[in-house]
Amino acid sequence: MKKWTHFSVTAETRRLWRITFDSPPINLVSPEMLTELPRLVDQMEAASELRVSVFESANSDYFLNHYDTSRVAETPKELGASGHPLLIDASTRLSRLPVVSVAKVRGRVRGVGSELIQAMDMRFASERALFCQPETANGNLPGGGGLEHLPRLLGRARALEVALSSDDYSGELAERYGWVNRTVPDSELDAFVDTLARRIASFDKESIAAVKQQVNRSTLPSAEDLQSSYDLYMHSFGWPGSQRRLPAATAAGRNQPGDYELRLGYHLGRQPADDTHDGARAY
């Protein structure tokens, strides 16, 4: 297998691969990862016997964290094989591959990390998992598929709650909302997901591909809709609120190991509001 920068790929068998995210210290999504994800999808597509890929993390505290906002200027501008930005290219092609993608989530999964697993076929969480779309509190908006996938998974009202609250949601609540298929005790997660993955991998690829293709007809957003949010997300870093809030968050500990990232939802709720108005008004 090719050597990757922030994840590794292990072929348990020709039918079952394991992709392990490992981007120390807190599994931030980097510009390098955005470049490599479409290449990973290329390899999955070329593996004719591959049936199932399980995505997991080498860090039990962070499955896959938000984007490294200190490196937004380095975000790759090239387009993928689909003609869309690399993140949208990777996520849309992953959703449509004749391969079942399964996220096995321990720890925190936020921002673009959360959006990437929303593009996967199934998500199973440990009771220790935390989910978050923090972008609104940073003066931005989810731009990697959250505004397209979450309404389909959670319904409109809960998708708005998640996106606008920018809070951390427990694994138990994520299951109740439909963010994940199931949340199980941490000690049972490996056995549960591995048993399911091996079971599906034992079946015929033609059947797996046909089931995915038919379900995809009514459940996936278009690449054009995804790119609309992606383009707006990149543009939003020029908004006044983003230019004010992100430096304050960075100074408080964003993108660094520590309490701020461990309790991101809590800290986002305590950041000062816009105080440019001259007091309350009655309407």
Side-chain angles (χ1 to χ4, degrees):
M1 286 284 181
K2 172 183 169 62
K3 177 70 174 177
W4 306 94
T5 302
H6 293 312
F7 54 85
S8 62
V9 181
T10 302
E12 181 173 302
T13 68
R14 290 191 297 272
R15 294 178 173 219
L16 174 59
W17 289 6
R18 298 186 182 278
I19 295 93
T20 305
F21 295 114
D22 190 8
S23 179
I26 56 172
N27 264 0
L28 291 176
V29 177
S30 67
E32 291 82 9
M33 190 182 292
L34 295 187
T35 298
E36 291 183 337
L37 283 172
R39 299 173 191 166
L40 172 63
V41 176
D42 290 341
Q43 287 202 359
M44 294 171 64
E45 191 172 30
S48 60
E49 295 188 56
L50 180 63
R51 270 75 160 170
V52 181
S53 289
V54 176
F55 291 78
E56 49 197 12
S57 173
N59 186 334
S60 61
D61 288 328
Y62 296 93
F63 173 83
L64 192 60
N65 215 346
H66 54 76
Y67 194 50
D68 187 346
T69 50
S70 69
R71 302 184 62 193
V72 170
E74 301 174 52
T75 303
K77 294 181 173 57
E78 60 261 37
L79 303 180
S82 64
H84 295 282
L86 298 182
L87 174 61
I88 305 306
D89 174 80
S91 63
T92 54
R93 291 198 293 131
L94 179 65
S95 296
R96 291 165 172 79
L97 279 180
V99 175
V100 178
S101 52
V102 181
K104 184 169 68 175
V105 181
R106 280 190 172 89
R108 294 144 185 84
V109 57
R110 297 166 171 147
V112 68
S114 171
E115 291 173 307
L116 182 61
I117 69 167
Q118 291 163 31
M120 296 180 191
D121 299 315
M122 303 178 200
R123 293 157 293 281
F124 298 94
S126 158
E127 60 193 345
R128 298 177 54 245
L130 286 175
F131 298 78
C132 180
Q133 293 293 155
E135 294 86 355
T136 300
N138 295 318
N140 305 111
L141 76 163
L147 298 182
E148 290 72 37
H149 286 293
L150 285 175
R152 290 168 167 82
L153 294 170
L154 279 61
R156 179 178 183 272
R158 284 175 170 169
L160 285 168
E161 176 194 347
V162 164
L164 293 176
S165 71
S166 296
D167 207 352
D168 285 328
Y169 288 74
S170 68
E172 182 275 330
L173 191 55
E175 177 189 285
R176 194 193 316 168
Y177 274 24
W179 208 329
V180 298
N181 293 61
R182 197 178 307 192
T183 295
V184 301
D186 187 74
S187 61
E188 300 175 13
L189 182 63
D190 290 332
F192 179 86
V193 173
D194 294 352
T195 297
L196 177 63
R198 290 168 184 152
R199 177 185 177 91
I200 296 172
S202 73
F203 300 151
D204 297 328
K205 187 159 185 174
E206 293 82 2
S207 298
I208 294 170
V211 168
K212 277 199 62 174
Q213 182 179 25
Q214 294 302 98
V215 170
N216 285 350
R217 293 176 303 166
S218 58
T219 58
L220 289 182
S222 69
E224 290 73 22
D225 282 347
L226 291 165
Q227 184 167 343
S228 173
S229 291
Y230 177 87
D231 291 342
L232 192 56
Y233 170 75
M234 296 306 298
H235 177 71
S236 72
F237 284 94
W239 292 350
S242 177
Q243 294 189 344
R244 176 174 55 84
R245 290 177 182 273
L246 282 173
T250 301
R254 186 176 174 86
N255 303 322
Q256 301 296 326
D259 189 68
Y260 188 90
E261 286 287 353
L262 287 170
R263 297 194 298 155
L264 182 62
Y266 168 80
H267 288 289
L268 289 175
R270 290 175 60 85
Q271 65 188 14
D274 188 343
D275 57 4
T276 58
H277 299 295
D278 56 357
R281 299 179 183 178
Y283 292 90

